[in-house]
C-alpha cells in the first residue's frame, strides 16, 4: 500500500498489460465495459485524484 503524493489518498499500484505501473484507488469496483462485459477492477487514481492534472503535465500530448 502506498499514498498518493498529490492528494494523500491510499492507493495501490497495478501493472498493466503494457508493463507500466498504474496507481489505482483501493476500493474494488464492478465495471461494465463499453462492449458490455462486467468486470471487477479498480478505478485509475488519475480519474479521481484532485491533483491528477499536475501528474499529467508533460506526460500527455
Ligand atoms: Zn491523488
Amino acid at each position: 500500500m502506498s499514498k498518493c503524493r498529490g492528494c494523500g489518498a491510499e492507493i495501490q499500484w497495478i501493472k498493466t498489460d503494457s508493463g507500466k505501473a498504474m496507481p489505482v484507488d483501493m476500493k474494488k469496483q464492478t465495471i461494465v465495459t463499453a462492449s458490455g462485459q462486467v468486470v471487477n477492477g479498480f478505478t485509475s487514481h488519475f480519474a479521481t485524484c484532485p491533483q491528477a492534472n499536475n501528474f499529467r503535465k508533460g506526460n500527455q500530448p
Side-chain angles (χ1 to χ4, degrees):
M1 192 188 298
S2 46
K3 281 191 176 177
C4 174
R5 276 186 223 162
C7 69
E10 284 181 348
I11 56 171
Q12 57 186 324
W13 291 86
I14 291 182
K15 217 172 191 185
T16 65
D17 282 347
S18 55
K20 284 183 180 173
M22 186 173 204
V24 297
D25 290 345
M26 293 300 294
K27 196 179 172 192
K28 208 166 194 179
Q29 309 267 6
T30 302
I31 297 164
V32 183
T33 68
S35 54
Q37 274 186 307
V38 179
V39 295
N40 288 320
F42 298 94
T43 309
S44 164
H45 188 60
F46 288 137
T48 62
C49 182
Q51 303 294 328
N53 286 341
N54 294 342
F55 299 147
R56 285 182 173 176
K57 260 179 203 167
N59 289 332
Q60 301 278 324

